[in-house]
């Protein structure tokens, strides 16, 4: 039986969703009332639950437009129903599936329902949630103190984040001495809360250690690596090589900073924002047409993967629903949810794989991905986006494609969890690099001045990525190291890295604990190396595309080249970090034309800035 429901739930009416939920619950109870499950009814159950999750995830993402409170009892009826869970678990334990994929799904479902009944697991999750909530509270306190610092300097945060406002302020200060004082004051405001934050993060690490040991794992990292297709020792070697290379690149960027700001002293990165402003030379970055950006990345998908993306008419003006087809037929759908940044603030573009593929014995459910998309309306009413949001949109489009093209027939796991962790960012980071392809300008129909602006945006984005080389490398190794060990916290791991690599000359411990409250770190502790794997792999894969006109591409090579992104059983390729550094190191702060130390850009005193 097909279990497809509405593709983009109507924000004006909840009737269709309520009816769909009622039908699915009725069918679920019919299945559970049968004497025993079969392979086919197991697949049907997983598809029903996946569809229910799709509806509520979509509604939650759009809660500004939809009051779906009346549907919340339905969510509890599916997901917080101990009696129903018990009946399904009892039948799952008696079932054996001859098909390996169905049996894998059954075992995963047994583990999931069994864990819900274990009080120890529930207590550990509650403790982790409490520690995480407190840690986020500390980060809020840091932001509050930093906002107060900005106010004392006569700068209001307004609708921006304190860090963004501080970056802009630092870029405008012409005195290098003042910029150094500002950087130290900013770090002091942050580090005043460091002991408490470290204690909470270390507390989360210890709870995970106890939980992993109770399950028979040698470490938290060992448990995480049950979801990987690479070995710990290989990842450790990759991370250490990457860190050594990042240290070299960091030193090279320091030298460039001193070229632009000769009096930068021992704190060259305190002057990064001002150096970027100097390199820009007062140019105003252009905005880009949202529809042009979407058409361009849709063309990339067509040329590389042989996909046709067609926009569908919807009743919701804030949603662009796109049907994705291949030569074999319909693949799935992507919902681009449009957020006017003038009216709504969200942290960043993001993707949710909110429904998975099922095609099994008559149960047909095509995958759906949801992509948030920030924009600003232009004078003509058309959506306009910054280069940063274009770059982010291409990244999230890669996640959406990955979700749609995964070769999986049973929706027993949500989103991209089917893939090994180390491959989760491969396709998304490859897609984001299309923001740097030489053909982009012609697809955006830019005037000559805007083309120059696009080139400047690319250069600045690449330099910004170079600035984060070391931080990304240290962060991944900290995450890896602390979860590999039976004791000790972040401070001990940082000290070990400093003793081996001398990282303390370039960064401080306080730069890192906040990241450990992010979803990727809490969901898959120790696996932040996946971002570096994705960055390196995507750079390697993009090189031949970067050199080829978009119109000349053929999708003949795509199936083999991107197989690890879609098939769990494919081998994970060992990426070479050198391709990543080679790609971004082509952009420089000082290009021979930057007015180094001219017009008082670094040495002159800005009146009133020394407060």
């Amino acid at each position: 039986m097909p279990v497809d429901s509405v593709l983009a739930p109507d924000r004006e009416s909840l009737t269709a969703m309520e009816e769909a939920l009622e039908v699915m619950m009725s069918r679920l109870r019919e299945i559970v009332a049968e004497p025993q499950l079969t392979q086919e009814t197991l697949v049907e159950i997983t598809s029903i639950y996946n569809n229910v999750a799709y509806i509520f995830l979509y509604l939650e993402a759009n809660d500004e437009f939809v009051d779906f409170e009346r549907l919340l009892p339905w969510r509890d009826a599916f997901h917080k129903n101990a009696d129903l869970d018990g009946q399904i678990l009892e039948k799952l334990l008696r079932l054996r599936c001859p098909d390996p994929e169905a049996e894998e799904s059954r075992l995963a479902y047994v583990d999931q329902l069994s864990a819900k009944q274990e009080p120890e697991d529930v207590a550990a999750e509650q403790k982790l949630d409490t520690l995480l909530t407190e840690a986020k509270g500390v980060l809020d306190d840091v932001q509050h103190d930093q906002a107060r610092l900005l106010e004392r300097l006569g700068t209001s945060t307004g609708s921006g984040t304190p860090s963004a406002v501080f970056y802009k302020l630092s870029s405008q200060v012409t005195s290098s001495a003042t910029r150094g004082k500002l950087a130290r004051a900013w770090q002091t405001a942050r580090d005043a809360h460091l002991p408490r934050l470290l204690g909470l993060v270390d507390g989360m690490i210890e709870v995970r250690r106890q939980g992993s040991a109770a399950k028979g794992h040698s470490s938290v990292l060992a448990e995480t690596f049950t979801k990987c297709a690479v070995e710990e020792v290989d990842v450790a070697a990759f991370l250490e090589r990457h860190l050594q290379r990042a240290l070299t690149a960091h030193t090279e960027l320091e030298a460039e900073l001193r070229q632009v700001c000769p009096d930068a002293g021992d704190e060259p990165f305190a002057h990064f924002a001002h150096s970027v402003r100097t390199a820009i030379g007062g140019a105003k970055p252009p905005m880009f047409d949202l529809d042009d950006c979407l058409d361009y990345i849709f063309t990339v998908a067509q040329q590389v993967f042989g996909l046709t993306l067609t926009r569908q008419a919807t009743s919701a003006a804030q949603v662009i629903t796109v049907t994705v087809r291949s030569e074999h037929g319909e693949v799935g759908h992507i919902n681009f949810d449009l957020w006017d940044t003038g009216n709504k603030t969200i942290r960043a573009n993001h993707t949710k794989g909110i429904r998975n593929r099922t095609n099994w014995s008559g149960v047909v459910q095509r995958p759906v991905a949801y992509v948030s998309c920030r924009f600003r309306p232009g004078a003509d009413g058309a959506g306009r986006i910054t280069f940063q949001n274009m770059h982010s949109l291409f990244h999230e489009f890669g996640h959406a494609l990955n979700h749609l093209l995964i070769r999986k027939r049973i929706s027993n796991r949500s989103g991209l969890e089917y893939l090994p962790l180390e491959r989760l960012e491969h396709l998304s980071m490859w897609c984001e690099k299309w923001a740097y392809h030489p053909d982009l300008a012609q697809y955006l129909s830019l005037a000559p001045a805007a083309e120059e602006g696009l080139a400047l945006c690319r250069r600045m984005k690449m330099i910004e990525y170079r600035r984060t080389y070391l931080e990304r490398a240290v962060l991944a190794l900290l995450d890896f190291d602390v979860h590999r060990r039976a004791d000790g916290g972040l401070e001990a791991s940082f000290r070990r890295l400093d003793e081996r690599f001398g990282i303390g000359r370039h960064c401080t411990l306080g730069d890192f604990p906040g990241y450990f409250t992010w979803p990727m770190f809490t969901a898959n502790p120790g696996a932040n190396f996946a971002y570096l794997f994705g960055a390196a792999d995507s750079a390697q894969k993009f090189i031949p595309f970067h050199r080829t006109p978009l119109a000349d591409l053929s999708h003949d090579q795509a199936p083999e080249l991107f197989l690890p992104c879609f098939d769990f059983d494919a081998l994970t390729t060992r990426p070479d970090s050198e391709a990543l550094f080679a790609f971004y190191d082509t952009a420089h702060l000082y290009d021979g034309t930057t007015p180094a130390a001219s017009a008082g850009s670094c040495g002159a005193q800005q009146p009133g800035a020394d407060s």
Side-chain angles (χ1 to χ4, degrees):
M1 58 169 286
V3 292
D4 268 325
S5 71
V6 286
L7 294 172
D10 190 339
R11 297 176 179 179
E12 304 298 328
S13 170
L14 302 181
T15 303
M17 281 161 283
E18 191 161 26
E19 291 175 352
L21 290 165
E22 186 173 1
V23 168
M24 286 188 283
M25 177 56 77
S26 176
R27 177 55 185 156
L28 184 58
R29 293 198 179 280
E30 285 179 7
I31 294 172
V32 173
E34 293 291 327
Q36 60 186 21
L37 293 181
T38 64
Q39 277 189 162
E40 288 68 28
T41 52
L42 165 62
V43 174
E44 199 171 341
I45 288 174
T46 62
S47 298
I48 288 172
Y49 271 101
N50 191 233
N51 216 12
V52 171
Y54 152 66
I55 290 175
F56 281 103
L57 280 172
Y58 194 96
L59 291 174
E60 286 173 352
N62 299 290
D63 59 358
E64 181 180 354
F65 301 96
V66 181
D67 179 10
F68 63 98
E69 186 174 351
R70 82 168 194 247
L71 295 186
L72 292 177
W74 281 110
R75 181 165 62 182
D76 290 347
F78 281 97
H79 293 290
K80 295 183 179 180
N81 190 329
D83 180 60
L84 185 57
D85 285 346
Q87 293 179 63
I88 294 174
L89 178 58
E90 179 188 358
K91 288 181 165 56
L92 285 172
L93 290 170
R94 297 202 307 264
L95 175 66
R96 294 295 182 274
C97 299
D99 185 277
E101 188 177 346
E103 180 65 6
E104 177 197 8
S105 183
R106 182 190 74 84
L107 293 172
Y109 205 174
V110 166
D111 288 344
Q112 174 191 330
L113 293 178
S114 298
K116 289 175 71 175
Q117 298 183 346
E118 292 292 335
E120 296 84 0
D121 287 348
V122 172
E125 285 299 320
Q126 289 175 341
K127 189 169 184 179
L128 282 171
D129 287 343
T130 299
L131 290 167
L132 180 60
T133 299
E134 291 184 26
K136 289 181 177 179
V138 174
L139 293 175
D140 288 341
D141 292 341
V142 170
Q143 286 215 355
H144 177 72
D145 287 357
Q146 290 176 333
R148 289 177 59 192
L149 172 61
L150 290 169
E151 289 171 3
R152 292 199 301 271
L153 295 170
T155 303
S156 172
T157 57
S159 60
T161 63
S163 59
V165 175
F166 177 79
Y167 184 93
K168 182 177 181 180
L169 173 64
S170 179
S171 74
Q172 296 170 340
V173 173
T174 55
S175 165
S176 59
T178 300
R179 288 196 298 273
K181 289 180 181 179
L182 286 175
R184 289 189 291 275
W186 190 256
Q187 182 173 313
T188 297
R190 181 199 68 188
D191 289 351
H193 300 271
L194 182 57
R196 185 172 169 224
L197 182 58
L198 277 174
L200 292 167
V201 171
D202 287 349
M204 288 190 285
I205 293 167
E206 188 55 39
V207 171
R208 294 190 195 110
R209 284 171 176 159
Q210 294 171 6
S212 295
K215 297 174 188 175
H217 298 288
S218 59
S219 68
V220 176
L221 190 66
E223 181 178 4
T224 295
F225 265 71
T226 61
K227 296 184 279 185
C228 298
V230 287
E231 300 296 328
E232 282 187 34
V233 63
D234 294 328
V235 173
F238 168 84
L239 289 176
E240 290 177 9
R241 287 194 304 270
H242 189 92
L243 176 55
Q244 290 170 329
R245 184 62 178 82
L247 281 165
T248 300
H250 192 81
T251 303
E252 290 168 354
L253 185 53
E254 283 183 340
E256 289 184 35
L257 286 166
R258 289 192 173 94
Q259 281 183 296
V260 179
C261 289
D263 50 355
D266 295 331
E267 304 171 308
F269 279 86
H271 311 277
F272 181 83
H274 187 73
S275 298
V276 169
R277 183 181 180 89
T278 302
I280 290 174
K284 184 178 180 180
M287 301 285 285
F288 305 95
D289 185 84
L290 173 61
D291 286 335
D292 284 351
C293 295
L294 288 173
D295 289 343
Y296 168 73
I297 202 64
F298 292 174
T299 302
V300 171
Q302 183 176 40
Q303 291 297 107
V304 178
F305 297 102
L307 300 174
T308 301
L309 290 91
T310 307
R311 303 187 192 202
Q312 303 298 310
T314 66
S315 59
Q318 303 91 348
V319 178
I320 298 174
T321 296
V322 174
T323 300
V324 182
R325 302 181 65 88
S326 72
E327 60 182 347
H328 304 295
E330 189 172 302
V331 174
H333 296 81
I334 303 175
N335 292 320
F336 292 89
D337 202 33
L338 309 179
W339 293 112
D340 180 350
T341 56
N343 298 320
K344 168 102 176 154
T345 299
I346 57 176
R347 289 181 58 188
N349 292 348
H350 57 277
T351 304
K352 291 181 179 177
I354 51 180
R355 193 169 60 191
N356 295 332
R357 176 182 313 284
T358 301
N359 189 354
W360 184 286
S361 300
V363 178
V364 178
Q365 180 172 283
R366 294 184 180 90
V368 178
Y370 162 88
V371 178
S372 78
C373 182
R374 298 194 295 178
F375 75 101
R376 298 175 192 168
D380 58 356
R384 310 288 287 174
I385 62 176
T386 64
F387 181 81
Q388 171 59 39
N389 281 337
M390 180 205 301
H391 186 279
S392 180
L393 175 62
F394 292 175
H395 178 100
E396 301 307 330
F397 179 74
H399 278 308
L401 277 188
N402 211 158
H403 177 69
L404 263 59
L405 297 177
I406 281 175
R407 300 179 181 181
K408 189 72 174 173
R409 295 183 297 160
I410 300 180
S411 56
N412 66 311
R413 281 178 279 195
S414 62
L416 297 174
E417 290 180 358
Y418 163 70
L419 287 178
L421 292 177
E422 72 274 5
R423 301 184 210 161
L424 292 182
E425 297 295 332
H426 283 29
L427 191 59
S428 59
M429 289 187 168
W430 177 85
C431 275
E432 76 184 28
K433 288 178 177 58
W434 283 91
Y436 304 103
H437 194 277
D439 286 358
L440 173 60
Q442 70 185 66
Y443 282 85
L444 299 183
S445 304
L446 299 179
E451 284 197 38
E452 293 178 7
L454 173 61
L456 182 63
C457 287
R458 285 169 162 166
R459 179 179 160 216
M460 292 303 106
K461 178 67 177 176
M462 295 173 84
I463 291 170
E464 175 61 30
Y465 195 93
R466 291 179 62 202
R467 185 186 67 84
T468 65
Y469 280 159
L470 185 63
E471 186 172 296
R472 293 170 189 262
V474 172
L475 180 61
L477 256 174
L478 273 178
D479 181 43
F480 187 87
D481 182 78
V482 78
H483 288 108
R484 198 180 194 184
R485 297 177 181 275
D487 54 31
L490 281 185
E491 187 171 8
S493 289
F494 185 86
R495 191 185 313 115
R496 278 189 293 270
L497 290 181
D498 189 24
E499 290 170 354
R500 290 189 61 196
F501 300 101
I503 60 172
R505 296 193 300 272
H506 308 284
C507 56
T508 70
L509 175 61
D511 296 334
F512 302 100
Y515 291 109
F516 287 80
T517 66
W518 288 17
M520 175 64 178
F521 289 83
T522 57
N524 300 296
N528 187 250
F529 71 87
Y531 288 97
L532 299 186
F533 260 53
D537 180 87
S538 62
Q540 284 180 277
K541 284 187 169 63
F542 187 68
I543 289 172
F545 294 95
H546 195 218
R547 298 168 178 163
T548 308
L550 182 52
D552 293 344
L553 293 175
S554 169
H555 55 264
D556 293 342
Q557 62 176 321
E560 182 177 353
L561 185 64
F562 295 98
L563 184 62
C565 298
F566 309 132
D567 191 333
F568 181 94
D569 294 327
L571 293 177
T572 297
T573 54
R574 303 301 190 267
D576 179 7
S577 293
E578 194 55 46
L580 173 70
F581 293 101
F583 182 80
Y584 287 101
D585 284 351
T586 57
H588 300 281
L589 264 174
Y590 184 69
D591 61 0
T593 62
T594 299
S598 67
S601 62
C602 294
Q605 175 82 19
Q606 177 174 315
D610 271 327
S611 58

